[in-house]
Amino acid sequence: MSAVLKKALDDYYKMIKGERANYQACYKSFLEYCNQELEFYSLADLAENLTKIDVEQACKYYFETSKRATSIEAIQRFLTAIDQFISHTKKREFEWRYLKEGCRNKQIVHDICLSLNNELSQKIYLPFDEEEKVKIVKEQIELLNKNNFYQFGQSVIYRLLVNYGFKEKIIINMKIEEFNEKEGQLLVGCDEEQRIYVKLEADIWDDLIKYCGMHKYPDRIYLFTKSNGEKLTPDSIFHTLKKKMKELDIHNFTPTTVALQGVANLIEKGLTLQEIKILTGFETQKIEDISKYLLTDEDIEKVINEKLQKKIRNEVMVWN
């Protein structure tokens, strides 16, 4: 197996060496991992049996054995290198049964980042975006007591974080006077000089009015409070929901990880880094972490070229 895989990797690397010189270390590490940990007898056998867990473990091995692999970029580089090799072998009719969607999907990146966070030079903050877990959270939100202002408030906060990515301190410090019921707007921002009014989605607007109407403490200062009317803390923002998630053995559910999913949504909507900073209150590093998490080498190339072509088309239309 060693000789067969080595030849296949070497042959492919020779083809792409001019464009992807930094992939050599990835292929060397992948070969070493396969030789040490896996028992496959041919390339076809490897393609038939290699799983996502194997790829994750191979990436962790790359981190453990490479002094230069210290960042999320290194994770993406390794996964892209393996993914391109797999795509190349598919032309020779190899199936890769467990990797039909490739190696670079967000779930694999997410799992690797979580397991490698101690080894990464910059701790990565990951959004709460695993499809099954998000589905469970939404189911639990539907089970919250809608007649209890504190529990109902948690459902409203969840949607604010997912839609607008507000940092937890924005939610905690949000004052009741900053919600304009008539216009459906919230005054937000960590920087006093750059506070902006955000027009809310219709369903959030309606539920925020309902929340204020049912609140037990109408003369409060802060928009969202604990059940006793006191100012929220980071732990009390999702107190009921976090308790449920713990019972269901779902980890990584916090106001920050939910807000970072909101940041991911804002990035995908096309907001700039500075606009996201003003709106959410998050630091540049965290926003860049999410950008890196969302994009791979090939995706970046594709996205940049699509945007450039769109700009060119728009300019042509203007001139015409």
Side-chain angles (χ1 to χ4, degrees), residues 12 23 27 55 76-90 99-105 296 298:
Y12 179 63
Y23 284 5
Y27 292 138
V55 173
Q76 293 173 326
R77 180 169 59 248
F78 180 86
L79 294 176
T80 302
I82 304 307
D83 198 60
Q84 290 189 0
F85 170 70
I86 287 173
S87 296
H88 172 69
T89 61
K90 283 178 180 177
L99 295 169
K100 289 181 180 178
E101 296 177 359
C103 302
R104 297 175 297 117
N105 65 70
T296 63
E298 280 193 338

Tab-separated table of all heavy atoms in Angstrom, residues 12 23 27 55 76-90 99-105 296 298:
chain	number	residue	atom	x	y	z
A	12	TYR	N	0.705	12.983	-8.656
A	12	TYR	CA	-0.219	14.119	-8.644
A	12	TYR	C	0.513	15.402	-8.265
A	12	TYR	O	0.283	16.453	-8.861
A	12	TYR	CB	-1.374	13.863	-7.668
A	12	TYR	CG	-2.329	15.026	-7.602
A	12	TYR	CD1	-3.060	15.415	-8.724
A	12	TYR	CD2	-2.474	15.769	-6.430
A	12	TYR	CE1	-3.914	16.507	-8.685
A	12	TYR	CE2	-3.333	16.859	-6.378
A	12	TYR	CZ	-4.043	17.221	-7.508
A	12	TYR	OH	-4.882	18.308	-7.470
A	23	TYR	N	1.875	22.006	-0.817
A	23	TYR	CA	1.123	20.784	-0.558
A	23	TYR	C	2.018	19.575	-0.303
A	23	TYR	O	1.553	18.539	0.162
A	23	TYR	CB	0.193	20.466	-1.731
A	23	TYR	CG	-1.047	21.328	-1.800
A	23	TYR	CD1	-1.246	22.402	-0.920
A	23	TYR	CD2	-2.025	21.081	-2.739
A	23	TYR	CE1	-2.373	23.195	-0.990
A	23	TYR	CE2	-3.175	21.869	-2.821
A	23	TYR	CZ	-3.334	22.931	-1.939
A	23	TYR	OH	-4.460	23.712	-2.011
A	27	TYR	N	1.047	16.015	1.728
A	27	TYR	CA	1.014	14.666	1.162
A	27	TYR	C	1.986	13.725	1.883
A	27	TYR	O	1.684	12.550	2.108
A	27	TYR	CB	1.317	14.720	-0.333
A	27	TYR	CG	0.233	15.400	-1.131
A	27	TYR	CD1	0.537	16.296	-2.157
A	27	TYR	CD2	-1.107	15.157	-0.855
A	27	TYR	CE1	-0.467	16.934	-2.868
A	27	TYR	CE2	-2.113	15.794	-1.571
A	27	TYR	CZ	-1.791	16.678	-2.572
A	27	TYR	OH	-2.798	17.310	-3.272
A	55	VAL	N	-9.738	11.189	7.975
A	55	VAL	CA	-9.193	12.452	7.470
A	55	VAL	C	-8.916	13.402	8.630
A	55	VAL	O	-7.875	14.064	8.677
A	55	VAL	CB	-10.161	13.104	6.455
A	55	VAL	CG1	-9.677	14.501	6.070
A	55	VAL	CG2	-10.288	12.236	5.204
A	76	GLN	N	-6.983	24.160	6.677
A	76	GLN	CA	-7.612	24.287	5.362
A	76	GLN	C	-6.668	23.851	4.245
A	76	GLN	O	-7.095	23.238	3.262
A	76	GLN	CB	-8.079	25.724	5.159
A	76	GLN	CG	-9.217	26.101	6.088
A	76	GLN	CD	-9.577	27.569	6.012
A	76	GLN	OE1	-8.721	28.414	5.812
A	76	GLN	NE2	-10.844	27.883	6.194
A	77	ARG	N	-5.389	24.165	4.405
A	77	ARG	CA	-4.403	23.761	3.382
A	77	ARG	C	-4.327	22.242	3.289
A	77	ARG	O	-4.352	21.676	2.188
A	77	ARG	CB	-3.028	24.343	3.733
A	77	ARG	CG	-1.941	23.965	2.721
A	77	ARG	CD	-0.674	24.764	2.952
A	77	ARG	NE	-0.103	24.575	4.271
A	77	ARG	CZ	-0.052	25.506	5.212
A	77	ARG	NH1	-0.572	26.706	5.006
A	77	ARG	NH2	0.495	25.258	6.389
A	78	PHE	N	-4.255	21.572	4.447
A	78	PHE	CA	-4.170	20.110	4.455
A	78	PHE	C	-5.426	19.502	3.831
A	78	PHE	O	-5.334	18.619	2.959
A	78	PHE	CB	-4.002	19.604	5.891
A	78	PHE	CG	-3.903	18.108	5.988
A	78	PHE	CD1	-2.672	17.471	5.843
A	78	PHE	CD2	-5.026	17.325	6.207
A	78	PHE	CE1	-2.574	16.081	5.919
A	78	PHE	CE2	-4.944	15.941	6.282
A	78	PHE	CZ	-3.713	15.324	6.142
A	79	LEU	N	-6.598	19.955	4.251
A	79	LEU	CA	-7.847	19.389	3.735
A	79	LEU	C	-8.011	19.655	2.247
A	79	LEU	O	-8.497	18.801	1.504
A	79	LEU	CB	-9.035	19.963	4.505
A	79	LEU	CG	-9.121	19.583	5.985
A	79	LEU	CD1	-10.290	20.290	6.651
A	79	LEU	CD2	-9.245	18.075	6.167
A	80	THR	N	-7.602	20.840	1.807
A	80	THR	CA	-7.684	21.166	0.375
A	80	THR	C	-6.744	20.282	-0.430
A	80	THR	O	-7.095	19.795	-1.512
A	80	THR	CB	-7.345	22.649	0.132
A	80	THR	OG1	-8.238	23.452	0.887
A	80	THR	CG2	-7.479	23.008	-1.343
A	81	ALA	N	-5.537	20.057	0.100
A	81	ALA	CA	-4.560	19.209	-0.594
A	81	ALA	C	-5.106	17.796	-0.771
A	81	ALA	O	-5.036	17.219	-1.865
A	81	ALA	CB	-3.249	19.177	0.190
A	82	ILE	N	-5.663	17.231	0.308
A	82	ILE	CA	-6.209	15.868	0.239
A	82	ILE	C	-7.438	15.839	-0.652
A	82	ILE	O	-7.631	14.909	-1.449
A	82	ILE	CB	-6.550	15.341	1.645
A	82	ILE	CG1	-5.318	15.407	2.565
A	82	ILE	CG2	-7.074	13.905	1.567
A	82	ILE	CD1	-4.074	14.741	2.006
A	83	ASP	N	-8.259	16.864	-0.551
A	83	ASP	CA	-9.483	16.930	-1.353
A	83	ASP	C	-9.167	16.974	-2.844
A	83	ASP	O	-9.820	16.308	-3.649
A	83	ASP	CB	-10.287	18.162	-0.952
A	83	ASP	CG	-11.731	18.077	-1.406
A	83	ASP	OD1	-12.415	17.128	-0.986
A	83	ASP	OD2	-12.167	18.948	-2.173
A	84	GLN	N	-8.156	17.747	-3.219
A	84	GLN	CA	-7.788	17.845	-4.635
A	84	GLN	C	-7.205	16.529	-5.150
A	84	GLN	O	-7.446	16.144	-6.295
A	84	GLN	CB	-6.813	19.000	-4.835
A	84	GLN	CG	-7.468	20.353	-4.644
A	84	GLN	CD	-6.575	21.508	-5.045
A	84	GLN	OE1	-5.441	21.328	-5.485
A	84	GLN	NE2	-7.076	22.723	-4.900
A	85	PHE	N	-6.457	15.853	-4.285
A	85	PHE	CA	-5.925	14.536	-4.672
A	85	PHE	C	-7.079	13.561	-4.900
A	85	PHE	O	-7.101	12.815	-5.891
A	85	PHE	CB	-4.983	14.004	-3.595
A	85	PHE	CG	-4.577	12.567	-3.802
A	85	PHE	CD1	-3.730	12.213	-4.848
A	85	PHE	CD2	-5.068	11.566	-2.964
A	85	PHE	CE1	-3.360	10.881	-5.055
A	85	PHE	CE2	-4.700	10.240	-3.165
A	85	PHE	CZ	-3.851	9.894	-4.205
A	86	ILE	N	-8.059	13.576	-3.998
A	86	ILE	CA	-9.213	12.683	-4.128
A	86	ILE	C	-9.993	12.999	-5.406
A	86	ILE	O	-10.398	12.095	-6.142
A	86	ILE	CB	-10.119	12.800	-2.881
A	86	ILE	CG1	-9.449	12.104	-1.693
A	86	ILE	CG2	-11.502	12.212	-3.134
A	86	ILE	CD1	-10.163	12.306	-0.370
A	87	SER	N	-10.191	14.287	-5.668
A	87	SER	CA	-10.901	14.688	-6.897
A	87	SER	C	-10.171	14.197	-8.138
A	87	SER	O	-10.788	13.760	-9.112
A	87	SER	CB	-11.034	16.218	-6.948
A	87	SER	OG	-11.834	16.674	-5.895
A	88	HIS	N	-8.843	14.263	-8.092
A	88	HIS	CA	-8.035	13.793	-9.214
A	88	HIS	C	-8.219	12.293	-9.441
A	88	HIS	O	-8.376	11.848	-10.589
A	88	HIS	CB	-6.562	14.106	-8.943
A	88	HIS	CG	-5.616	13.497	-9.929
A	88	HIS	ND1	-5.536	13.917	-11.239
A	88	HIS	CD2	-4.711	12.479	-9.793
A	88	HIS	CE1	-4.625	13.194	-11.873
A	88	HIS	NE2	-4.120	12.322	-11.021
A	89	THR	N	-8.236	11.518	-8.348
A	89	THR	CA	-8.359	10.056	-8.494
A	89	THR	C	-9.763	9.646	-8.923
A	89	THR	O	-9.944	8.569	-9.483
A	89	THR	CB	-8.005	9.337	-7.178
A	89	THR	OG1	-8.913	9.746	-6.154
A	89	THR	CG2	-6.585	9.638	-6.753
A	90	LYS	N	-10.750	10.515	-8.674
A	90	LYS	CA	-12.113	10.193	-9.107
A	90	LYS	C	-12.194	10.095	-10.629
A	90	LYS	O	-13.043	9.374	-11.164
A	90	LYS	CB	-13.101	11.256	-8.610
A	90	LYS	CG	-13.446	11.110	-7.136
A	90	LYS	CD	-14.401	12.213	-6.686
A	90	LYS	CE	-14.746	12.071	-5.211
A	90	LYS	NZ	-15.603	13.171	-4.737
A	99	LEU	N	-16.502	9.864	1.295
A	99	LEU	CA	-16.045	11.239	1.101
A	99	LEU	C	-16.599	11.842	-0.189
A	99	LEU	O	-15.927	12.598	-0.877
A	99	LEU	CB	-14.508	11.282	1.088
A	99	LEU	CG	-13.836	10.890	2.410
A	99	LEU	CD1	-12.337	10.710	2.210
A	99	LEU	CD2	-14.104	11.932	3.487
A	100	LYS	N	-17.832	11.505	-0.493
A	100	LYS	CA	-18.443	11.997	-1.734
A	100	LYS	C	-18.578	13.518	-1.748
A	100	LYS	O	-18.566	14.137	-2.801
A	100	LYS	CB	-19.805	11.338	-1.930
A	100	LYS	CG	-19.689	9.848	-2.289
A	100	LYS	CD	-21.038	9.220	-2.496
A	100	LYS	CE	-20.881	7.746	-2.858
A	100	LYS	NZ	-22.198	7.072	-3.020
A	101	GLU	N	-18.726	14.108	-0.545
A	101	GLU	CA	-18.850	15.565	-0.460
A	101	GLU	C	-17.503	16.242	-0.255
A	101	GLU	O	-17.438	17.455	-0.069
A	101	GLU	CB	-19.792	15.932	0.694
A	101	GLU	CG	-21.212	15.442	0.474
A	101	GLU	CD	-22.107	15.749	1.654
A	101	GLU	OE1	-21.616	16.325	2.647
A	101	GLU	OE2	-23.294	15.407	1.585
A	102	GLY	N	-16.432	15.462	-0.295
A	102	GLY	CA	-15.097	16.034	-0.144
A	102	GLY	C	-14.656	16.150	1.299
A	102	GLY	O	-15.373	15.789	2.225
A	103	CYS	N	-13.443	16.687	1.477
A	103	CYS	CA	-12.828	16.791	2.806
A	103	CYS	C	-12.927	18.176	3.402
A	103	CYS	O	-12.539	18.375	4.549
A	103	CYS	CB	-11.334	16.446	2.717
A	103	CYS	SG	-10.984	14.828	2.080
A	104	ARG	N	-13.384	19.145	2.631
A	104	ARG	CA	-13.262	20.531	3.095
A	104	ARG	C	-14.576	21.113	3.602
A	104	ARG	O	-14.719	22.316	3.728
A	104	ARG	CB	-12.715	21.415	1.969
A	104	ARG	CG	-11.322	21.022	1.531
A	104	ARG	CD	-10.870	21.848	0.329
A	104	ARG	NE	-11.713	21.610	-0.823
A	104	ARG	CZ	-12.461	22.531	-1.416
A	104	ARG	NH1	-12.462	23.755	-0.980
A	104	ARG	NH2	-13.204	22.231	-2.458
A	105	ASN	N	-15.544	20.246	3.887
A	105	ASN	CA	-16.811	20.797	4.366
A	105	ASN	C	-16.664	21.343	5.786
A	105	ASN	O	-15.771	20.971	6.531
A	105	ASN	CB	-17.926	19.743	4.284
A	105	ASN	CG	-17.683	18.568	5.200
A	105	ASN	OD1	-17.769	18.704	6.419
A	105	ASN	ND2	-17.358	17.420	4.627
A	296	THR	N	-12.232	28.161	1.925
A	296	THR	CA	-11.050	27.333	1.674
A	296	THR	C	-10.279	27.969	0.527
A	296	THR	O	-10.731	28.931	-0.076
A	296	THR	CB	-11.465	25.904	1.271
A	296	THR	OG1	-12.186	25.986	0.044
A	296	THR	CG2	-12.342	25.259	2.334
A	298	GLU	N	-9.702	27.069	-2.565
A	298	GLU	CA	-10.420	27.113	-3.838
A	298	GLU	C	-11.628	28.029	-3.766
A	298	GLU	O	-11.944	28.742	-4.701
A	298	GLU	CB	-10.867	25.699	-4.237
A	298	GLU	CG	-9.755	24.881	-4.852
A	298	GLU	CD	-10.284	23.632	-5.511
A	298	GLU	OE1	-11.381	23.184	-5.158
A	298	GLU	OE2	-9.592	23.105	-6.383
